[in-house]
Amino acid sequence: MSDIMEMLVRRGFLWQSFEIYGGMAGFIDYAPLGNNLRRKIENIWRKYFVINERAVEIDTPTIGIEEVFIASGHATSFTDVAIECENCGRVYRADHYVKEKLGIEVDETVEAVKEVMDVYDLKCECGGKFKEPAPMNLMFSTKIGPGKGKKGYLRPETAQGMFVDFKRLAGYFREKLPFGVAQIGRAYRNEISPRQGVIRLREFNQAELEFFVHPAEKTHPDFSQVASDKVKLVDKFDNEHEMTLSEAVEKGIIANQILGYFIGKTRRFLLEIGINEDKLRFRQHKDDERAHYATDCWDAEVETSYGWIEVVGIADRTDYDLKRHSEYSGEDLTIFVPYTQPVKVKRRRLVPKMNKIGPTFKEKAKKIAEAISTFNVNSDADEIEIVVDGERIKISKEFFDIEEVEEEIAGEKIVPHVIEPSFGLDRISYAVLEHAYDKDVVDGEERRVLRLKRKVSPVEVAVLPLLSREPFESKAQEIVSLLRSKGIYTEYDDSGSIGRRYRRFDEIGTPFCITVDHQTFDDDTVTIRDRDTTRQVRVKIESLPTILKELLESERDITEFGEVFR
């Protein structure tokens, strides 16, 4: 880990944020190479989860008003237990500190942490005594507007913006399920004591898809494309399986077909960007680990020098989010699903008593009457609870009658369920880099090389003059301009020996180096050198853009495009 982190910093992939002021845990800067690599990963993600789905991408604010997070539950339950030293003032995340110092797991509750602290007489690293453990909300709070302003939070996930926009999005899709909504952007969590570099950040990048489906139809028309893919699974009982996705769904290991579909797509995406399949598995959340509203949840986990880390969460969130936002906003977040043939049904309905409602509720009478009329009742009710302008109001039976009617209905209103694949782009980018990092021996010397997939390499081609003088330099610059005009990420380097320059570009994962040598001026040819094999072929300059584009979009061997030069 120290080897690769040193290289990533030195070569310009990742830098410590606020470095000249001493830095701050939980924040990183994407340096030029790291930023380019992450952007390429994002574009491949779009290919899988937007372009090739019935999905659109939106962009919502990173600051949300308080009401959004009250409805989502983040304002009250998005917490970790913290412990603070009375002596030095350091604050630790309790479960992580207990695991580090005592080697035991502890439930993330104040009571469980307090019991462990008392039993083991847990002390701070400085020897000081801890204060009582306390819950800490992980959201960054802020004020919106001048003066007292309106309370808001930096979003802890991108998902809520997509749920809040659901009504508009449903209209955009003509209210036809299923459909997906994607968002790529920053999220923020005020981690108590982040200690794992890029693995646990306070400001991080997410790519999320909210896929809205009919509750009774959790299938996907394209499941057959991934059904035969063999996947490593660890179920909630810690049993390990290696089986096809169709088998996992049929045996009930994966709850439904659509979850299996997105597990399959996630696997293909991760392999395409360079995750090592031998170090990839999908782990199911245990019953006491899974969110109470989810029916099933799987994490894509990747093995790194930090151990197995979660990089993707794929959850069936049911209708929890839309119901909560509907309840707290008072908006109807349902979709009308027509039946094939209309059906006659008997049902009870509530009839508001305006002579009672008007004098009692005055200016709210009309809205209350409307809420009563639309309230679904399946049996006799002495009291109901409605929401008007965000306020919960209990209405007793004196304000309504119950009558039974027969209606012909053409369909039903349903609250869609949500399947959510959520990707941590920072962890994924780091894992890609670590899995690509390698050492070998070339010409009797050890070299460090990033064997990145060509399509995510931040620098695709380097153009190198054999000698640092004219006319080699100007010819090399002409080729740089040619390749850049064709959309190929190209760098120029004339500093040091040609061997040293090859090593520099091997270390940052550049797939191909183009060398301008003496023969170039005789027959207008150059050599292309392959990063992984160090083989070289000689080709015409005029054919370079075509050949390089073909090579960069595939993993084909360069010897298919010319005779081996060396």
Side-chain angles (χ1 to χ4, degrees):
M1 182 167 60
S2 58
D3 259 9
I4 187 171
M5 284 307 298
E6 181 276 332
M7 187 275 289
L8 294 178
V9 171
R10 174 169 49 83
R11 287 301 191 195
F13 284 90
L14 303 171
W15 292 331
Q16 172 65 60
S17 298
F18 324 119
E19 186 175 21
I20 63 172
Y21 291 101
M24 182 71 186
F27 297 93
I28 61 162
D29 292 348
Y30 277 89
L33 298 181
N35 190 59
N36 201 4
L37 176 134
R38 197 189 85 233
R39 297 297 184 195
K40 288 189 166 192
I41 289 173
E42 288 175 6
N43 287 333
I44 296 171
W45 185 89
R46 285 186 175 95
K47 179 185 78 173
Y48 275 87
F49 297 98
V50 182
I51 297 169
N52 287 300
E53 288 292 343
R54 187 172 185 250
V56 294
E57 184 177 355
I58 66 171
D59 191 5
T60 64
T62 59
I63 295 177
I65 59 175
E66 184 180 27
E67 290 87 338
V68 169
F69 301 109
I70 292 173
S72 69
H74 287 93
T76 53
S77 60
F78 193 60
T79 59
D80 282 334
V81 178
I83 47 177
E84 182 180 353
C85 177
E86 291 180 350
N87 181 46
C88 69
R90 288 190 68 181
V91 180
Y92 302 92
R93 178 170 159 176
D95 61 326
H96 287 182
Y97 192 78
V98 168
K99 178 74 180 292
E100 179 185 334
K101 299 301 178 184
L102 303 177
I104 61 175
E105 303 282 351
V106 60
D107 289 342
E108 293 182 60
T109 64
V110 170
E111 295 75 19
V113 171
K114 188 176 186 322
E115 183 180 355
V116 169
M117 290 172 65
D118 292 342
V119 169
Y120 292 93
D121 191 25
L122 191 65
K123 295 284 186 16
C124 177
E125 290 178 349
C126 74
K129 186 179 178 181
F130 284 116
K131 297 178 183 178
E132 291 289 300
M136 173 182 159
N137 194 288
L138 301 183
M139 287 195 294
F140 288 94
S141 62
T142 186
K143 293 288 184 183
I144 304 170
K148 290 185 178 180
K150 184 175 180 62
K151 191 170 185 180
Y153 295 96
L154 298 184
R155 65 185 184 190
E157 60 182 13
T158 66
Q160 296 308 317
M162 293 180 273
F163 297 136
V164 169
D165 279 352
F166 174 77
K167 196 169 183 178
R168 295 285 187 188
L169 289 159
Y172 182 88
F173 281 102
R174 307 293 187 266
E175 299 211 354
K176 291 181 180 178
L177 294 170
F179 64 81
V181 186
Q183 186 165 193
I184 297 177
R186 294 291 175 100
Y188 308 84
R189 298 184 184 181
N190 195 12
E191 296 285 352
I192 296 169
S193 50
R195 291 183 170 189
Q196 293 178 290
V198 296
I199 302 305
R200 193 167 294 279
L201 296 171
R202 289 181 164 120
E203 179 177 354
F204 53 96
N205 296 277
Q206 280 189 313
E208 293 190 300
L209 176 70
E210 308 303 328
F211 202 74
F212 297 96
V213 302
H214 193 293
E217 299 173 12
K218 293 187 178 178
T219 60
H220 197 286
D222 295 330
F223 179 67
S224 60
Q225 294 179 7
V226 299
S228 60
D229 288 9
K230 192 169 280 191
V231 182
K232 294 177 186 174
L233 303 173
V234 180
D235 68 25
K236 62 185 179 182
F237 305 109
D238 292 328
N239 299 314
E240 297 184 9
H241 310 268
E242 189 162 358
M243 59 175 61
T244 65
L245 287 165
S246 59
E247 288 176 310
V249 173
E250 287 166 11
K251 292 180 178 180
I253 297 170
I254 297 173
N256 55 65
Q257 189 191 92
I258 201 162
L259 272 175
Y261 171 75
F262 282 115
I263 287 172
K265 286 203 84 171
T266 297
R267 171 184 168 274
R268 289 189 177 191
F269 162 72
L270 293 173
L271 296 182
E272 181 168 333
I273 62 174
I275 294 297
N276 184 336
E277 187 164 18
D278 293 334
K279 297 181 178 182
L280 172 65
R281 70 185 185 190
F282 290 85
R283 185 184 67 81
Q284 187 177 35
H285 282 205
K286 293 177 167 59
D287 290 340
D288 61 355
E289 175 188 11
R290 190 178 65 242
H292 67 276
Y293 51 79
T295 59
D296 198 8
C297 184
W298 291 81
D299 288 343
E301 295 186 332
V302 172
E303 188 176 20
T304 69
S305 52
Y306 291 100
W308 285 97
I309 60 169
E310 172 201 349
V311 297
V312 187
I314 306 164
D316 183 339
R317 295 177 67 119
T318 67
D319 56 9
Y320 173 82
D321 301 281
L322 292 182
K323 276 189 171 177
R324 292 276 295 191
H325 284 296
S326 181
E327 180 183 350
Y328 280 82
S329 69
E331 290 287 339
D332 180 7
L333 300 182
T334 61
I335 279 183
F336 181 78
V337 178
Y339 295 143
T340 307
Q341 294 289 335
V343 296
K344 287 184 177 181
V345 297
K346 287 182 178 180
R347 73 174 187 90
R348 288 183 172 90
R349 73 176 182 186
L350 301 185
V351 181
K353 295 180 178 179
M354 293 307 299
N355 61 329
K356 295 277 189 181
I357 294 171
T360 304
F361 294 102
K362 297 181 173 57
E363 68 275 1
K364 287 188 177 179
K366 183 180 177 183
K367 288 185 177 180
I368 285 175
E370 289 173 353
I372 291 172
S373 298
T374 56
F375 190 88
N376 288 321
V377 60
N378 297 317
S379 60
D380 291 336
D382 293 326
E383 185 180 76
I384 63 170
E385 186 175 82
I386 60 175
V387 178
V388 174
D389 295 334
E391 179 187 358
R392 294 170 177 270
I393 303 172
K394 290 185 176 180
I395 305 294
S396 64
K397 196 172 182 179
E398 66 178 297
F399 294 103
F400 58 83
D401 289 321
I402 301 176
E403 66 178 23
E404 192 171 271
V405 295
E406 185 176 81
E407 294 179 344
E408 184 176 89
I409 57 175
E412 63 178 332
K413 283 186 172 183
I414 60 108
V415 180
H417 281 204
V418 177
I419 310 298
E420 179 194 69
S422 176
F423 295 71
L425 291 172
D426 309 286
R427 292 183 176 191
I428 289 171
S429 298
Y430 173 78
V432 165
L433 288 165
E434 186 173 308
H435 285 193
Y437 184 69
D438 192 18
K439 292 180 180 179
D440 62 7
V441 175
V442 173
D443 296 333
E445 293 183 359
E446 182 182 81
R447 72 161 178 164
R448 292 194 281 191
V449 56
L450 277 181
R451 301 189 189 278
L452 292 168
K453 294 285 187 179
R454 295 169 186 173
K455 60 185 64 179
V456 301
S457 296
V459 176
E460 294 169 341
V461 177
V463 179
L464 317 174
L466 181 65
L467 301 175
S468 302
R469 63 169 186 258
E470 292 297 341
F472 297 91
E473 291 176 342
S474 57
K475 192 64 175 178
Q477 290 286 11
E478 282 180 30
I479 295 171
V480 169
S481 297
L482 170 66
L483 298 181
R484 286 176 176 172
S485 72
K486 302 299 182 181
I488 298 171
Y489 287 89
T490 308
E491 281 200 5
Y492 169 86
D493 190 355
D494 60 12
S495 177
S497 69
I498 191 69
R500 188 178 296 274
R501 282 178 275 162
Y502 284 153
R503 298 294 180 270
R504 281 204 289 266
F505 285 101
D506 290 343
E507 193 173 23
I508 66 170
T510 303
F512 304 109
C513 288
I514 309 299
T515 305
V516 174
D517 57 17
H518 294 89
Q519 189 175 332
T520 301
F521 302 98
D522 296 330
D523 57 12
D524 214 29
T525 63
V526 290
T527 62
I528 306 177
R529 175 187 178 273
D530 177 77
R531 172 198 67 206
D532 295 327
T533 65
T534 72
R535 291 196 190 104
Q536 298 183 50
V537 296
R538 185 169 289 279
V539 300
K540 287 283 189 180
I541 292 175
E542 63 185 20
S543 63
L544 262 180
T546 303
I547 291 173
L548 288 171
K549 278 187 173 292
E550 177 62 33
L551 285 168
L552 290 167
E553 290 170 6
S554 68
E555 292 297 320
R556 292 173 64 181
D557 193 301
I558 63 168
T559 57
E560 296 179 38
F561 297 89
E563 292 185 16
V564 177
F565 174 72
R566 184 169 70 93

